[in-house]
Amino acid sequence: MEKISEFLLPIVQTINAYMSDYILIFLLVGIGLFYTVRTRFVQVRCFGEGMKKVFGNISFRGGKNKSGLSSFQALATAIAAQVGTGNIVGACGAILIGGPGAIFWMWVIAFFGMATIYAEAVLAQETKVVNEDGSVLGGPVYYIRRAFKGKFGKFLAGFFSVAIILALGFMGSMVQSNSISESIHTALPVIPVWAVGIFLAVICAIIFIGGIQRIAAVAEKIVPLMAVLYVGVALVILGINFTKIPETVGMIFKYAFAPNAIIGGAVGEAIKRAISQGAKRGLFSNEAGMGSTPHAHAQANVKTPHEQGVAAMVGVFIDTFIVLTVTALVVISTLYAGGGPLSTPEGLSGTLLTKANLMQTAVGTALGNQTVGNILIATCLTFFAFTTIISWNFFGKQNVQYLFGKKATVVYSVLAIAFIFLGSLFPNDLVWELADTFNFIMVIPNVIALAMLSGIVVKQARKIKDKKNKK
């Protein structure tokens, strides 16, 4: 494994650096800004409506539908995909490399991403296909084909399908299982990483067999539980560090524009690192613009596409502005604020801190007991990453079925299970870099289609506004 990693890692890192520093930022901010303006700030105008849609009639017993899922089940499946290692390990990686200011840029990406994901959910609803047996097929491949007719549309949709199968079904699942096994091994060294990999593979196999109904049933129960547990732990730590909260928030804004003071290097290079880390990890966290969650939103039984669009925006808000933000506040208030060990460019040198154990270290330091901190975060991370694996497997399966037919999904599931096990064995850095590469590739065809079909989305957003004005 080490020789493979030594050969592949520099190559993949070079590709990712170019993609995240230039192409990714342009595409994500560009499409988010485009939809923010065209929908007249739908993420602001309709945010209250989205919250009411999600929490107004919340139920953890969605039941089995003849076709598709309830709106909450679809959102829970989407959030299960969004809220994963990106909110803990990804956020920590962004802070370590780009400084506390990287979180500011993740907020910016998320704000514009709320408009982007509104568009993705609306288009997923507009273009979904309901089969005779009641099963629903939907996602970017269907709105890509709507945007581009003929051979080019077929090629672009196929390109996206291959990318998402590799990115989420295989490489992404490796990231999640890698993070679970690493965090559990850190908390309980007697448990080898390969044992965790085998256990995960078996549990996931049982859920994969049950299809989308079983995935939704698991997601709608685990997602609220894991969010409450994690945010509860974070709030306890922030209560301990409450005198440092103003300084912590100030550091996020200060180092967004002057990160060299805390990570070293020239001003221009430091700012580029902060922004690129915010964009890269922001994408991996909330997935807006990536084209993954539309597969879940297509499954929702709603009266209008707009309804699922506003619900989808709440998913990004929960992912970034709540779960990811409390991660950042805990890490920065404990390890950076008040002259903490990482408050200078020299602070990290010679330490064993990595993105995989930074949150565990922060919680353990604040509580004065590293073992307790390790176990608490390992438990939360296991919930997060597990639900992400099962949602991502479904997204990949939809695209396998699009490319090769329903029978091919069995082969896909077997391969996905194998990759879940392999993820527990591979080096952490290589797994993350490979996942980033294919995530970036997914963005390109998805954003092109979103730009082409803006008329459909704007019509939905403005139709609702016109109805409100008439009332």
Side-chain angles (χ1 to χ4, degrees):
M1 293 295 181
E2 289 185 6
K3 289 184 178 179
I4 295 174
S5 178
E6 289 175 4
F7 173 74
L8 286 179
L9 189 58
I11 299 172
V12 179
Q13 284 177 329
T14 302
I15 295 171
N16 288 350
Y18 183 82
M19 292 284 285
S20 62
D21 290 351
Y22 304 102
I23 299 174
L24 190 67
I25 292 173
F26 173 77
L27 289 177
L28 289 181
V29 175
I31 196 67
L33 184 60
F34 174 72
Y35 268 112
T36 295
V37 173
R38 289 222 62 193
T39 61
R40 299 173 186 173
F41 287 82
V42 68
Q43 67 268 55
V44 177
R45 287 192 300 107
C46 300
F47 180 72
E49 181 185 350
M51 294 292 283
K52 187 182 294 185
K53 174 69 180 173
V54 174
F55 298 108
N57 54 356
I58 189 171
S59 171
F60 303 131
R61 297 176 61 85
K64 189 171 182 179
N65 297 281
K66 291 182 180 180
S67 176
L69 307 171
S70 69
S71 179
F72 179 73
Q73 284 180 318
L75 179 64
T77 303
I79 294 176
Q82 292 167 306
V83 179
T85 56
N87 300 80
I88 302 178
V89 182
C92 290
I95 294 170
L96 280 175
I97 299 172
I103 301 302
F104 172 84
W105 298 110
M106 293 179 90
W107 289 342
V108 172
I109 290 290
F111 176 76
F112 291 121
M114 289 172 71
T116 304
I117 212 162
Y118 171 84
E120 289 180 302
V122 166
L123 291 175
Q125 279 287 320
E126 285 277 4
T127 59
K128 69 181 181 181
V129 176
V130 181
N131 294 324
E132 291 181 2
D133 62 358
S135 62
V136 177
L137 298 174
V141 291
Y142 297 94
Y143 57 71
I144 288 172
R145 294 295 299 272
R146 172 78 69 87
F148 300 99
K149 307 296 183 182
K151 292 183 179 179
F152 181 69
K154 189 175 182 180
F155 164 77
L156 208 60
F159 179 82
F160 175 87
S161 287
V162 171
I164 194 172
I165 291 166
L166 293 173
L168 304 188
F170 299 151
M171 303 302 171
S173 294
M174 288 177 72
V175 166
Q176 307 299 329
S177 65
N178 180 279
S179 297
I180 291 174
S181 58
E182 289 265 344
S183 63
I184 290 178
H185 182 68
T186 298
L188 301 168
V190 295
I191 302 178
V193 291
W194 60 263
V196 178
I198 290 175
F199 178 76
L200 270 177
V202 172
I203 297 298
C204 288
I206 295 170
I207 295 174
F208 292 170
I209 293 169
I212 183 58
Q213 294 289 348
R214 184 174 295 174
I215 289 171
V218 171
E220 70 178 343
K221 294 173 179 64
I222 292 183
V223 166
L225 173 64
M226 71 182 188
V228 170
L229 174 64
Y230 184 71
V231 173
V233 171
L235 289 177
V236 169
I237 305 303
L238 294 177
I240 295 171
N241 294 340
F242 76 96
T243 58
K244 298 179 183 178
I245 299 302
E247 181 186 355
T248 298
V249 175
M251 291 177 81
I252 292 174
F253 286 92
K254 175 184 176 181
Y255 295 122
F257 304 96
N260 61 307
I262 202 164
I263 63 175
V267 177
E269 180 61 28
I271 291 177
K272 188 174 77 171
R273 282 169 62 187
I275 295 175
S276 67
Q277 284 298 311
K280 183 163 62 174
R281 294 298 162 224
L283 171 67
F284 196 85
S285 174
N286 63 57
E287 301 183 29
M290 197 163 80
S292 53
T293 58
H295 298 89
H297 294 302
Q299 302 289 320
N301 288 314
V302 288
K303 293 179 181 178
T304 67
H306 171 80
E307 289 183 24
Q308 197 59 25
V310 295
M313 295 191 309
V314 174
V316 172
F317 178 81
I318 292 171
D319 172 271
T320 301
F321 291 102
I322 296 179
V323 181
L324 184 143
T325 296
V326 297
T327 300
L329 293 177
V330 166
V331 169
I332 298 168
S333 65
T334 304
L335 301 176
Y336 287 83
L342 302 183
S343 59
T344 63
E346 297 77 26
L348 190 61
S349 59
T351 71
L352 297 176
L353 292 177
T354 67
K355 59 178 175 281
N357 65 19
L358 191 66
M359 185 61 172
Q360 288 176 310
T361 301
V363 172
T365 301
L367 294 176
N369 189 318
Q370 194 57 57
T371 301
V372 172
N374 289 345
I375 293 174
L376 281 174
I377 298 305
T379 302
C380 294
L381 186 60
T382 298
F383 274 120
F384 283 7
F386 172 70
T387 54
T388 298
I389 288 173
I390 60 176
S391 294
W392 279 0
N393 176 266
F394 170 69
F395 300 164
K397 186 179 290 184
Q398 290 265 296
N399 286 273
V400 168
Q401 188 168 342
Y402 168 78
L403 287 176
F404 307 110
K406 197 169 184 178
K407 292 182 180 179
T409 58
V410 177
V411 177
Y412 162 76
S413 294
V414 172
L415 289 173
I417 292 165
F419 272 88
I420 290 169
F421 171 68
L422 289 173
S424 66
L425 305 178
F426 267 74
N428 183 275
D429 287 339
L430 177 60
V431 170
W432 274 87
E433 292 292 342
L434 285 171
D436 282 341
T437 300
F438 290 104
N439 285 342
F440 298 162
I441 292 172
M442 283 170 56
V443 171
I444 298 171
N446 185 56
V447 167
I448 292 172
L450 289 175
M452 291 296 295
L453 296 174
S454 62
I456 297 173
V457 179
V458 172
K459 185 178 179 181
Q460 279 290 323
R462 293 185 178 176
K463 186 188 296 182
I464 300 302
K465 186 177 181 182
D466 291 341
K467 285 183 179 180
K468 288 181 179 179
N469 290 338
K470 286 180 181 178
K471 287 182 180 179

